Amino acid sequence: MHANNEIGTVQPVAEIGKIAREHGVLFHVDAVQTAGHLPINVNDLNVDMLSISGHKLYGPKGIGALYIRKGVRIDSLLSGGSQERGKRPGTENVPGIVGFGEAAAIAKAEMADEAVRLTLLRDRLSSELLTRIPDSHPNGHHTLRLPNNVNISFDYVEGESLLLNLDFEGICASTGSACSSSSLEPSHVLLACGKIAEEAHGSLRFSLGKFTTGEDIDSVIEALPRIVKKLRAMSPLAPKSVGLVR
């Protein structure tokens, strides 16, 4: 991954790619999270293949792109017609391709300004929640991270309960990636970062976007400390001495 889809950390892809190239290893990178949010240069990143997806750029769903460096040969996943240079048979999704291209052009034009705007919103949301809610912990790198990702663990509460209460307030969040939304297991990403299961279960991910406003951030800052306080007051796991909220 160029950037992790749960905790937002931007990985040292260029350094990894350099090592791979020195040892003759083909290197594929999933850049779905970064495309449209951060600059991507396949030469600077030392990648041989790179994947991006249209819906992350506000383009149509069901369309994506795979960059393949000249000289790299891959096998076809399916056999059939000669469309898409013999790599993927079937009728091309022309509306999806055109929509994806237009979305990419818009994202490129807006990316620099939007990254600054989202970073300010991201940092304000993270700082306020960590200040107002004791026993809360940020996940992911503090600075080398996506401009639109906030992931925080809250001790003594369940993420699912937080989600339900936020939903009542009209606020959307998640406890992990969409890929694992049907699983009740704690996030493997947070476990790999050293979190115990209880901490991983008490995490929330907020994904900001081009339609996120300062008022939206204010709503979360007002609602979440109140929700955490209520849930901790009912939780048998919370020590009586724990600060419920500031």
Side-chain angles (χ1 to χ4, degrees):
M1 287 182 173
H2 191 188
N4 187 267
N5 56 327
E6 289 193 35
I7 60 176
T9 299
V10 179
Q11 311 287 357
V13 167
E15 292 87 339
I16 297 170
K18 182 174 183 293
I19 295 170
R21 181 159 295 176
E22 289 171 350
H23 291 80
V25 177
L26 289 177
F27 188 37
H28 168 263
V29 168
D30 171 356
V32 168
Q33 293 293 325
T34 49
H37 295 290
L38 298 175
I40 295 175
N41 184 304
V42 293
N43 293 321
D44 293 343
L45 294 177
N46 297 308
V47 302
D48 298 298
M49 292 169 284
L50 182 138
S51 299
I52 58 178
S53 182
H55 73 286
K56 291 293 184 179
L57 304 173
Y58 301 94
K61 291 186 178 181
I63 189 72
L66 171 66
Y67 162 80
I68 305 174
R69 184 175 295 278
K70 186 176 181 179
V72 173
R73 300 182 64 182
I74 64 172
D75 291 332
S76 300
L77 181 63
L78 302 170
S79 61
S82 60
Q83 297 97 328
E84 302 188 46
R85 301 183 183 181
K87 300 304 179 187
R88 185 178 183 276
T91 303
E92 288 98 334
N93 177 9
V94 175
I97 294 169
V98 174
F100 188 9
E102 182 65 18
I106 294 172
K108 181 179 179 181
E110 298 178 348
M111 182 170 58
D113 291 340
E114 188 66 1
V116 172
R117 187 185 75 88
L118 289 177
T119 298
L120 292 172
L121 293 177
R122 177 201 72 188
D123 290 347
R124 181 158 72 89
L125 176 61
S126 179
S127 175
E128 289 289 342
L129 292 180
L130 292 170
T131 299
R132 293 169 183 246
I133 305 175
D135 299 289
S136 57
H137 318 280
N139 297 314
H141 198 281
H142 292 289
T143 55
L144 299 178
R145 63 182 303 111
L146 291 168
N148 65 324
N149 175 286
V150 174
N151 191 304
I152 300 177
S153 292
F154 303 95
D155 293 346
Y156 317 119
V157 291
E158 285 281 339
E160 293 297 328
S161 297
L162 292 172
L163 284 184
L164 288 172
N165 280 269
L166 285 171
D167 187 55
F168 290 140
E169 304 269 352
I171 297 170
C172 296
S174 66
T175 56
S177 69
C179 311
S180 57
S181 59
S182 62
S183 173
L184 295 178
E185 295 298 314
S187 163
H188 69 279
V189 174
L190 294 178
L191 295 179
C193 291
K195 298 286 185 181
I196 62 174
E198 289 78 9
E199 292 172 326
H201 272 305
S203 68
L204 282 183
R205 180 186 71 165
F206 294 95
S207 298
L208 314 184
K210 67 189 300 182
F211 303 113
T212 303
T213 66
E215 289 74 20
D216 295 328
I217 300 300
D218 292 338
S219 296
V220 179
I221 293 171
E222 187 280 325
L224 191 53
R226 170 166 43 82
I227 291 170
V228 171
K229 180 179 180 180
K230 178 182 71 173
L231 294 177
R232 283 180 175 173
M234 299 185 294
S235 172
L237 299 176
K240 298 302 180 184
S241 59
V242 68
L244 296 179
V245 71
R246 291 193 180 97

